[in-house]
PDB file of all heavy atoms in Angstrom:
ATOM      1  N   VAL A   1       0.847  -1.198   0.000  1.00 97.00           N
ATOM      2  CA  VAL A   1       0.000   0.000   0.000  1.00 97.00           C
ATOM      3  C   VAL A   1       0.883   1.250   0.000  1.00 97.00           C
ATOM      4  O   VAL A   1       1.380   1.672   1.038  1.00 97.00           O
ATOM      5  CB  VAL A   1      -0.938   0.028   1.235  1.00 97.00           C
ATOM      6  CG1 VAL A   1      -1.961   1.153   1.086  1.00 97.00           C
ATOM      7  CG2 VAL A   1      -1.637  -1.312   1.439  1.00 97.00           C
ATOM      8  N   PRO A   2       1.120   1.864  -1.178  1.00 97.00           N
ATOM      9  CA  PRO A   2       1.900   3.109  -1.222  1.00 97.00           C
ATOM     10  C   PRO A   2       1.080   4.273  -0.660  1.00 97.00           C
ATOM     11  O   PRO A   2      -0.092   4.441  -1.001  1.00 97.00           O
ATOM     12  CB  PRO A   2       2.155   3.324  -2.719  1.00 97.00           C
ATOM     13  CG  PRO A   2       1.731   2.063  -3.407  1.00 97.00           C
ATOM     14  CD  PRO A   2       0.710   1.434  -2.525  1.00 97.00           C
ATOM     15  N   LEU A   3       1.707   5.064   0.224  1.00 95.00           N
ATOM     16  CA  LEU A   3       0.997   6.168   0.874  1.00 95.00           C
ATOM     17  C   LEU A   3       1.823   7.453   0.842  1.00 95.00           C
ATOM     18  O   LEU A   3       3.010   7.436   0.537  1.00 95.00           O
ATOM     19  CB  LEU A   3       0.688   5.799   2.333  1.00 95.00           C
ATOM     20  CG  LEU A   3      -0.287   4.637   2.571  1.00 95.00           C
ATOM     21  CD1 LEU A   3      -0.273   4.236   4.033  1.00 95.00           C
ATOM     22  CD2 LEU A   3      -1.698   5.001   2.130  1.00 95.00           C
ATOM     23  N   SER A   4       1.153   8.535   1.213  1.00 91.00           N
ATOM     24  CA  SER A   4       1.832   9.818   1.399  1.00 91.00           C
ATOM     25  C   SER A   4       2.498   9.835   2.776  1.00 91.00           C
ATOM     26  O   SER A   4       2.153   9.040   3.655  1.00 91.00           O
ATOM     27  CB  SER A   4       0.801  10.951   1.319  1.00 91.00           C
ATOM     28  OG  SER A   4       1.282  12.116   1.947  1.00 91.00           O
ATOM     29  N   SER A   5       3.431  10.761   2.951  1.00 89.00           N
ATOM     30  CA  SER A   5       4.053  10.931   4.269  1.00 89.00           C
ATOM     31  C   SER A   5       3.011  11.355   5.303  1.00 89.00           C
ATOM     32  O   SER A   5       3.184  11.150   6.502  1.00 89.00           O
ATOM     33  CB  SER A   5       5.161  11.991   4.184  1.00 89.00           C
ATOM     34  OG  SER A   5       4.615  13.213   3.676  1.00 89.00           O
ATOM     35  N   VAL A   6       1.920  11.961   4.821  1.00 80.00           N
ATOM     36  CA  VAL A   6       0.824  12.373   5.713  1.00 80.00           C
ATOM     37  C   VAL A   6      -0.309  11.358   5.574  1.00 80.00           C
ATOM     38  O   VAL A   6      -1.013  11.335   4.569  1.00 80.00           O
ATOM     39  CB  VAL A   6       0.304  13.790   5.344  1.00 80.00           C
ATOM     40  CG1 VAL A   6      -0.837  14.194   6.262  1.00 80.00           C
ATOM     41  CG2 VAL A   6       1.427  14.804   5.385  1.00 80.00           C
ATOM     42  N   HIS A   7      -0.448  10.492   6.547  1.00 84.00           N
ATOM     43  CA  HIS A   7      -1.527   9.491   6.504  1.00 84.00           C
ATOM     44  C   HIS A   7      -1.823   9.004   7.927  1.00 84.00           C
ATOM     45  O   HIS A   7      -1.029   9.226   8.837  1.00 84.00           O
ATOM     46  CB  HIS A   7      -1.135   8.297   5.615  1.00 84.00           C
ATOM     47  CG  HIS A   7       0.014   7.499   6.148  1.00 84.00           C
ATOM     48  ND1 HIS A   7       1.320   7.780   5.838  1.00 84.00           N
ATOM     49  CD2 HIS A   7       0.069   6.441   6.996  1.00 84.00           C
ATOM     50  CE1 HIS A   7       2.122   6.933   6.452  1.00 84.00           C
ATOM     51  NE2 HIS A   7       1.382   6.102   7.175  1.00 84.00           N
ATOM     52  N   ASN A   8      -2.979   8.388   8.073  1.00 83.00           N
ATOM     53  CA  ASN A   8      -3.303   7.797   9.382  1.00 83.00           C
ATOM     54  C   ASN A   8      -3.227   6.268   9.249  1.00 83.00           C
ATOM     55  O   ASN A   8      -2.864   5.745   8.201  1.00 83.00           O
ATOM     56  CB  ASN A   8      -4.686   8.260   9.878  1.00 83.00           C
ATOM     57  CG  ASN A   8      -5.786   7.945   8.873  1.00 83.00           C
ATOM     58  OD1 ASN A   8      -5.747   6.928   8.186  1.00 83.00           O
ATOM     59  ND2 ASN A   8      -6.783   8.819   8.792  1.00 83.00           N
ATOM     60  N   ASP A   9      -3.587   5.575  10.307  1.00 89.00           N
ATOM     61  CA  ASP A   9      -3.476   4.102  10.303  1.00 89.00           C
ATOM     62  C   ASP A   9      -4.786   3.400   9.969  1.00 89.00           C
ATOM     63  O   ASP A   9      -4.920   2.198  10.186  1.00 89.00           O
ATOM     64  CB  ASP A   9      -2.980   3.613  11.679  1.00 89.00           C
ATOM     65  CG  ASP A   9      -1.508   3.936  11.892  1.00 89.00           C
ATOM     66  OD1 ASP A   9      -0.785   4.044  10.877  1.00 89.00           O
ATOM     67  OD2 ASP A   9      -1.085   4.073  13.051  1.00 89.00           O
ATOM     68  N   ASP A  10      -5.761   4.135   9.434  1.00 88.00           N
ATOM     69  CA  ASP A  10      -7.075   3.536   9.162  1.00 88.00           C
ATOM     70  C   ASP A  10      -6.979   2.324   8.237  1.00 88.00           C
ATOM     71  O   ASP A  10      -7.587   1.277   8.487  1.00 88.00           O
ATOM     72  CB  ASP A  10      -8.023   4.575   8.547  1.00 88.00           C
ATOM     73  CG  ASP A  10      -8.439   5.638   9.556  1.00 88.00           C
ATOM     74  OD1 ASP A  10      -8.020   5.526  10.724  1.00 88.00           O
ATOM     75  OD2 ASP A  10      -9.180   6.569   9.179  1.00 88.00           O
ATOM     76  N   ILE A  11      -6.228   2.476   7.148  1.00 92.00           N
ATOM     77  CA  ILE A  11      -6.115   1.367   6.178  1.00 92.00           C
ATOM     78  C   ILE A  11      -5.391   0.186   6.819  1.00 92.00           C
ATOM     79  O   ILE A  11      -5.839  -0.957   6.733  1.00 92.00           O
ATOM     80  CB  ILE A  11      -5.393   1.836   4.896  1.00 92.00           C
ATOM     81  CG1 ILE A  11      -6.279   2.848   4.140  1.00 92.00           C
ATOM     82  CG2 ILE A  11      -5.055   0.647   3.993  1.00 92.00           C
ATOM     83  CD1 ILE A  11      -5.641   3.452   2.915  1.00 92.00           C
ATOM     84  N   LYS A  12      -4.278   0.472   7.484  1.00 94.00           N
ATOM     85  CA  LYS A  12      -3.496  -0.588   8.157  1.00 94.00           C
ATOM     86  C   LYS A  12      -4.370  -1.354   9.143  1.00 94.00           C
ATOM     87  O   LYS A  12      -4.399  -2.592   9.151  1.00 94.00           O
ATOM     88  CB  LYS A  12      -2.309   0.028   8.884  1.00 94.00           C
ATOM     89  CG  LYS A  12      -1.464  -1.000   9.642  1.00 94.00           C
ATOM     90  CD  LYS A  12      -0.381  -0.306  10.461  1.00 94.00           C
ATOM     91  CE  LYS A  12       0.491  -1.322  11.184  1.00 94.00           C
ATOM     92  NZ  LYS A  12      -0.250  -2.208  12.084  1.00 94.00           N
ATOM     93  N   ASN A  13      -5.109  -0.620   9.970  1.00 94.00           N
ATOM     94  CA  ASN A  13      -5.945  -1.258  10.994  1.00 94.00           C
ATOM     95  C   ASN A  13      -7.042  -2.136  10.378  1.00 94.00           C
ATOM     96  O   ASN A  13      -7.337  -3.223  10.877  1.00 94.00           O
ATOM     97  CB  ASN A  13      -6.578  -0.199  11.906  1.00 94.00           C
ATOM     98  CG  ASN A  13      -5.527   0.550  12.721  1.00 94.00           C
ATOM     99  OD1 ASN A  13      -4.402   0.069  12.878  1.00 94.00           O
ATOM    100  ND2 ASN A  13      -5.873   1.730  13.215  1.00 94.00           N
ATOM    101  N   LEU A  14      -7.624  -1.644   9.291  1.00 93.00           N
ATOM    102  CA  LEU A  14      -8.702  -2.393   8.642  1.00 93.00           C
ATOM    103  C   LEU A  14      -8.166  -3.677   7.996  1.00 93.00           C
ATOM    104  O   LEU A  14      -8.757  -4.751   8.132  1.00 93.00           O
ATOM    105  CB  LEU A  14      -9.381  -1.514   7.579  1.00 93.00           C
ATOM    106  CG  LEU A  14     -10.694  -2.025   6.981  1.00 93.00           C
ATOM    107  CD1 LEU A  14     -11.720  -2.350   8.072  1.00 93.00           C
ATOM    108  CD2 LEU A  14     -11.277  -1.020   6.015  1.00 93.00           C
ATOM    109  N   LEU A  15      -7.016  -3.576   7.327  1.00 96.00           N
ATOM    110  CA  LEU A  15      -6.429  -4.766   6.681  1.00 96.00           C
ATOM    111  C   LEU A  15      -5.934  -5.768   7.733  1.00 96.00           C
ATOM    112  O   LEU A  15      -6.013  -6.975   7.533  1.00 96.00           O
ATOM    113  CB  LEU A  15      -5.296  -4.363   5.732  1.00 96.00           C
ATOM    114  CG  LEU A  15      -5.669  -3.410   4.581  1.00 96.00           C
ATOM    115  CD1 LEU A  15      -4.515  -3.273   3.596  1.00 96.00           C
ATOM    116  CD2 LEU A  15      -6.910  -3.870   3.842  1.00 96.00           C
ATOM    117  N   ASP A  16      -5.435  -5.231   8.850  1.00 96.00           N
ATOM    118  CA  ASP A  16      -5.048  -6.107   9.965  1.00 96.00           C
ATOM    119  C   ASP A  16      -6.258  -6.890  10.474  1.00 96.00           C
ATOM    120  O   ASP A  16      -6.191  -8.102  10.697  1.00 96.00           O
ATOM    121  CB  ASP A  16      -4.483  -5.275  11.136  1.00 96.00           C
ATOM    122  CG  ASP A  16      -3.029  -4.874  10.925  1.00 96.00           C
ATOM    123  OD1 ASP A  16      -2.383  -5.440  10.020  1.00 96.00           O
ATOM    124  OD2 ASP A  16      -2.546  -3.989  11.661  1.00 96.00           O
ATOM    125  N   ALA A  17      -7.371  -6.165  10.651  1.00 96.00           N
ATOM    126  CA  ALA A  17      -8.592  -6.775  11.188  1.00 96.00           C
ATOM    127  C   ALA A  17      -9.104  -7.894  10.272  1.00 96.00           C
ATOM    128  O   ALA A  17      -9.676  -8.885  10.744  1.00 96.00           O
ATOM    129  CB  ALA A  17      -9.673  -5.712  11.378  1.00 96.00           C
ATOM    130  N   LYS A  18      -8.886  -7.714   8.975  1.00 96.00           N
ATOM    131  CA  LYS A  18      -9.354  -8.724   8.008  1.00 96.00           C
ATOM    132  C   LYS A  18      -8.301  -9.809   7.760  1.00 96.00           C
ATOM    133  O   LYS A  18      -8.481 -10.673   6.903  1.00 96.00           O
ATOM    134  CB  LYS A  18      -9.722  -8.047   6.676  1.00 96.00           C
ATOM    135  CG  LYS A  18     -10.846  -7.031   6.795  1.00 96.00           C
ATOM    136  CD  LYS A  18     -12.142  -7.674   7.253  1.00 96.00           C
ATOM    137  CE  LYS A  18     -13.262  -6.645   7.384  1.00 96.00           C
ATOM    138  NZ  LYS A  18     -14.512  -7.240   7.886  1.00 96.00           N
ATOM    139  N   LYS A  19      -7.176  -9.702   8.493  1.00 96.00           N
ATOM    140  CA  LYS A  19      -6.085 -10.695   8.395  1.00 96.00           C
ATOM    141  C   LYS A  19      -5.520 -10.821   6.971  1.00 96.00           C
ATOM    142  O   LYS A  19      -5.176 -11.915   6.510  1.00 96.00           O
ATOM    143  CB  LYS A  19      -6.549 -12.062   8.922  1.00 96.00           C
ATOM    144  CG  LYS A  19      -6.878 -12.034  10.412  1.00 96.00           C
ATOM    145  CD  LYS A  19      -7.203 -13.405  10.942  1.00 96.00           C
ATOM    146  CE  LYS A  19      -7.218 -13.450  12.461  1.00 96.00           C
ATOM    147  NZ  LYS A  19      -8.027 -12.429  13.120  1.00 96.00           N
ATOM    148  N   LEU A  20      -5.441  -9.690   6.280  1.00 97.00           N
ATOM    149  CA  LEU A  20      -4.839  -9.674   4.946  1.00 97.00           C
ATOM    150  C   LEU A  20      -3.338  -9.437   5.093  1.00 97.00           C
ATOM    151  O   LEU A  20      -2.898  -8.706   5.987  1.00 97.00           O
ATOM    152  CB  LEU A  20      -5.477  -8.579   4.084  1.00 97.00           C
ATOM    153  CG  LEU A  20      -6.919  -8.879   3.626  1.00 97.00           C
ATOM    154  CD1 LEU A  20      -7.629  -7.624   3.160  1.00 97.00           C
ATOM    155  CD2 LEU A  20      -6.934  -9.932   2.521  1.00 97.00           C
ATOM    156  N   ASN A  21      -2.558 -10.028   4.236  1.00 97.00           N
ATOM    157  CA  ASN A  21      -1.097  -9.900   4.273  1.00 97.00           C
ATOM    158  C   ASN A  21      -0.727  -8.601   3.553  1.00 97.00           C
ATOM    159  O   ASN A  21      -0.866  -8.498   2.336  1.00 97.00           O
ATOM    160  CB  ASN A  21      -0.479 -11.118   3.562  1.00 97.00           C
ATOM    161  CG  ASN A  21       1.027 -11.127   3.660  1.00 97.00           C
ATOM    162  OD1 ASN A  21       1.652 -10.137   4.013  1.00 97.00           O
ATOM    163  ND2 ASN A  21       1.627 -12.260   3.336  1.00 97.00           N
ATOM    164  N   HIS A  22      -0.275  -7.604   4.290  1.00 97.00           N
ATOM    165  CA  HIS A  22      -0.070  -6.276   3.680  1.00 97.00           C
ATOM    166  C   HIS A  22       1.095  -5.526   4.327  1.00 97.00           C
ATOM    167  O   HIS A  22       1.474  -5.790   5.476  1.00 97.00           O
ATOM    168  CB  HIS A  22      -1.340  -5.440   3.819  1.00 97.00           C
ATOM    169  CG  HIS A  22      -1.665  -5.119   5.251  1.00 97.00           C
ATOM    170  ND1 HIS A  22      -1.293  -3.945   5.857  1.00 97.00           N
ATOM    171  CD2 HIS A  22      -2.294  -5.845   6.211  1.00 97.00           C
ATOM    172  CE1 HIS A  22      -1.692  -3.968   7.118  1.00 97.00           C
ATOM    173  NE2 HIS A  22      -2.301  -5.112   7.363  1.00 97.00           N
ATOM    174  N   THR A  23       1.628  -4.580   3.584  1.00 97.00           N
ATOM    175  CA  THR A  23       2.672  -3.674   4.081  1.00 97.00           C
ATOM    176  C   THR A  23       2.392  -2.282   3.537  1.00 97.00           C
ATOM    177  O   THR A  23       2.112  -2.120   2.347  1.00 97.00           O
ATOM    178  CB  THR A  23       4.074  -4.127   3.600  1.00 97.00           C
ATOM    179  OG1 THR A  23       4.326  -5.432   4.103  1.00 97.00           O
ATOM    180  CG2 THR A  23       5.155  -3.171   4.075  1.00 97.00           C
ATOM    181  N   GLU A  24       2.443  -1.283   4.425  1.00 97.00           N
ATOM    182  CA  GLU A  24       2.309   0.111   3.988  1.00 97.00           C
ATOM    183  C   GLU A  24       3.707   0.696   3.786  1.00 97.00           C
ATOM    184  O   GLU A  24       4.631   0.331   4.517  1.00 97.00           O
ATOM    185  CB  GLU A  24       1.561   0.958   5.029  1.00 97.00           C
ATOM    186  CG  GLU A  24       0.062   0.679   5.102  1.00 97.00           C
ATOM    187  CD  GLU A  24      -0.232  -0.686   5.718  1.00 97.00           C
ATOM    188  OE1 GLU A  24       0.457  -1.084   6.675  1.00 97.00           O
ATOM    189  OE2 GLU A  24      -1.131  -1.365   5.208  1.00 97.00           O
ATOM    190  N   CYS A  25       3.846   1.583   2.819  1.00 97.00           N
ATOM    191  CA  CYS A  25       5.125   2.262   2.624  1.00 97.00           C
ATOM    192  C   CYS A  25       4.861   3.680   2.137  1.00 97.00           C
ATOM    193  O   CYS A  25       3.838   3.958   1.520  1.00 97.00           O
ATOM    194  CB  CYS A  25       5.995   1.509   1.620  1.00 97.00           C
ATOM    195  SG  CYS A  25       5.288   1.451  -0.033  1.00 97.00           S
ATOM    196  N   VAL A  26       5.781   4.581   2.449  1.00 96.00           N
ATOM    197  CA  VAL A  26       5.665   5.968   1.991  1.00 96.00           C
ATOM    198  C   VAL A  26       6.413   6.093   0.666  1.00 96.00           C
ATOM    199  O   VAL A  26       7.575   5.703   0.557  1.00 96.00           O
ATOM    200  CB  VAL A  26       6.247   6.943   3.037  1.00 96.00           C
ATOM    201  CG1 VAL A  26       6.305   8.366   2.485  1.00 96.00           C
ATOM    202  CG2 VAL A  26       5.417   6.902   4.316  1.00 96.00           C
ATOM    203  N   MET A  27       5.721   6.618  -0.359  1.00 96.00           N
ATOM    204  CA  MET A  27       6.355   6.802  -1.671  1.00 96.00           C
ATOM    205  C   MET A  27       6.408   8.265  -2.098  1.00 96.00           C
ATOM    206  O   MET A  27       7.065   8.599  -3.074  1.00 96.00           O
ATOM    207  CB  MET A  27       5.626   5.984  -2.737  1.00 96.00           C
ATOM    208  CG  MET A  27       5.937   4.503  -2.679  1.00 96.00           C
ATOM    209  SD  MET A  27       5.434   3.643  -4.169  1.00 96.00           S
ATOM    210  CE  MET A  27       6.186   2.032  -3.896  1.00 96.00           C
ATOM    211  N   TYR A  28       5.674   9.132  -1.383  1.00 95.00           N
ATOM    212  CA  TYR A  28       5.693  10.552  -1.734  1.00 95.00           C
ATOM    213  C   TYR A  28       5.356  11.369  -0.498  1.00 95.00           C
ATOM    214  O   TYR A  28       4.778  10.857   0.462  1.00 95.00           O
ATOM    215  CB  TYR A  28       4.710  10.857  -2.872  1.00 95.00           C
ATOM    216  CG  TYR A  28       3.291  10.380  -2.638  1.00 95.00           C
ATOM    217  CD1 TYR A  28       2.275  11.250  -2.250  1.00 95.00           C
ATOM    218  CD2 TYR A  28       2.951   9.037  -2.829  1.00 95.00           C
ATOM    219  CE1 TYR A  28       0.985  10.814  -2.066  1.00 95.00           C
ATOM    220  CE2 TYR A  28       1.646   8.584  -2.636  1.00 95.00           C
ATOM    221  CZ  TYR A  28       0.671   9.482  -2.256  1.00 95.00           C
ATOM    222  OH  TYR A  28      -0.625   9.042  -2.060  1.00 95.00           O
ATOM    223  N   ARG A  29       5.759  12.634  -0.511  1.00 92.00           N
ATOM    224  CA  ARG A  29       5.470  13.491   0.641  1.00 92.00           C
ATOM    225  C   ARG A  29       4.535  14.619   0.224  1.00 92.00           C
ATOM    226  O   ARG A  29       4.581  15.085  -0.920  1.00 92.00           O
ATOM    227  CB  ARG A  29       6.761  14.037   1.268  1.00 92.00           C
ATOM    228  CG  ARG A  29       7.596  14.912   0.392  1.00 92.00           C
ATOM    229  CD  ARG A  29       8.767  15.511   1.163  1.00 92.00           C
ATOM    230  NE  ARG A  29       9.721  14.496   1.587  1.00 92.00           N
ATOM    231  CZ  ARG A  29      10.728  14.074   0.828  1.00 92.00           C
ATOM    232  NH1 ARG A  29      10.903  14.562  -0.386  1.00 92.00           N
ATOM    233  NH2 ARG A  29      11.559  13.150   1.272  1.00 92.00           N
ATOM    234  N   THR A  30       3.701  15.014   1.157  1.00 82.00           N
ATOM    235  CA  THR A  30       2.723  16.067   0.908  1.00 82.00           C
ATOM    236  C   THR A  30       3.093  17.294   1.726  1.00 82.00           C
ATOM    237  O   THR A  30       3.218  17.210   2.944  1.00 82.00           O
ATOM    238  CB  THR A  30       1.307  15.582   1.304  1.00 82.00           C
ATOM    239  OG1 THR A  30       1.083  14.299   0.703  1.00 82.00           O
ATOM    240  CG2 THR A  30       0.244  16.526   0.833  1.00 82.00           C
ATOM    241  N   VAL A  31       3.297  18.415   1.046  1.00 82.00           N
ATOM    242  CA  VAL A  31       3.685  19.642   1.748  1.00 82.00           C
ATOM    243  C   VAL A  31       2.738  20.781   1.367  1.00 82.00           C
ATOM    244  O   VAL A  31       2.188  20.803   0.261  1.00 82.00           O
ATOM    245  CB  VAL A  31       5.152  20.042   1.430  1.00 82.00           C
ATOM    246  CG1 VAL A  31       6.122  19.000   1.957  1.00 82.00           C
ATOM    247  CG2 VAL A  31       5.368  20.254  -0.061  1.00 82.00           C
ATOM    248  N   SER A  32       2.555  21.713   2.260  1.00 80.00           N
ATOM    249  CA  SER A  32       1.651  22.841   2.026  1.00 80.00           C
ATOM    250  C   SER A  32       2.162  23.719   0.888  1.00 80.00           C
ATOM    251  O   SER A  32       3.353  24.005   0.785  1.00 80.00           O
ATOM    252  CB  SER A  32       1.532  23.675   3.314  1.00 80.00           C
ATOM    253  OG  SER A  32       0.671  24.775   3.096  1.00 80.00           O
ATOM    254  N   ASN A  33       1.254  24.099   0.004  1.00 88.00           N
ATOM    255  CA  ASN A  33       1.575  24.993  -1.111  1.00 88.00           C
ATOM    256  C   ASN A  33       1.125  26.396  -0.693  1.00 88.00           C
ATOM    257  O   ASN A  33       0.008  26.813  -0.970  1.00 88.00           O
ATOM    258  CB  ASN A  33       0.837  24.516  -2.369  1.00 88.00           C
ATOM    259  CG  ASN A  33       1.214  25.288  -3.604  1.00 88.00           C
ATOM    260  OD1 ASN A  33       2.224  25.985  -3.627  1.00 88.00           O
ATOM    261  ND2 ASN A  33       0.400  25.192  -4.641  1.00 88.00           N
TER     262      ASN A  33
END
């Protein structure tokens, strides 16, 4: 699961709950314009 540097754990927690084999990683950063 590629994510932004700004993210919460909602996806991780949901996939954990469903016992899916997953890894989150940061691939880009989000900064204020």
Side-chain angles (χ1 to χ4, degrees):
V1 189
L3 295 169
S4 159
S5 56
V6 179
H7 65 270
N8 56 35
D9 288 333
D10 290 358
I11 292 176
K12 178 186 182 302
N13 295 341
L14 191 54
L15 301 189
D16 280 346
K18 299 298 179 183
K19 295 185 167 51
L20 288 163
N21 185 346
H22 65 96
T23 299
E24 287 71 39
C25 64
V26 172
M27 284 195 171
Y28 53 102
R29 62 174 66 87
T30 310
V31 295
S32 179
N33 186 16

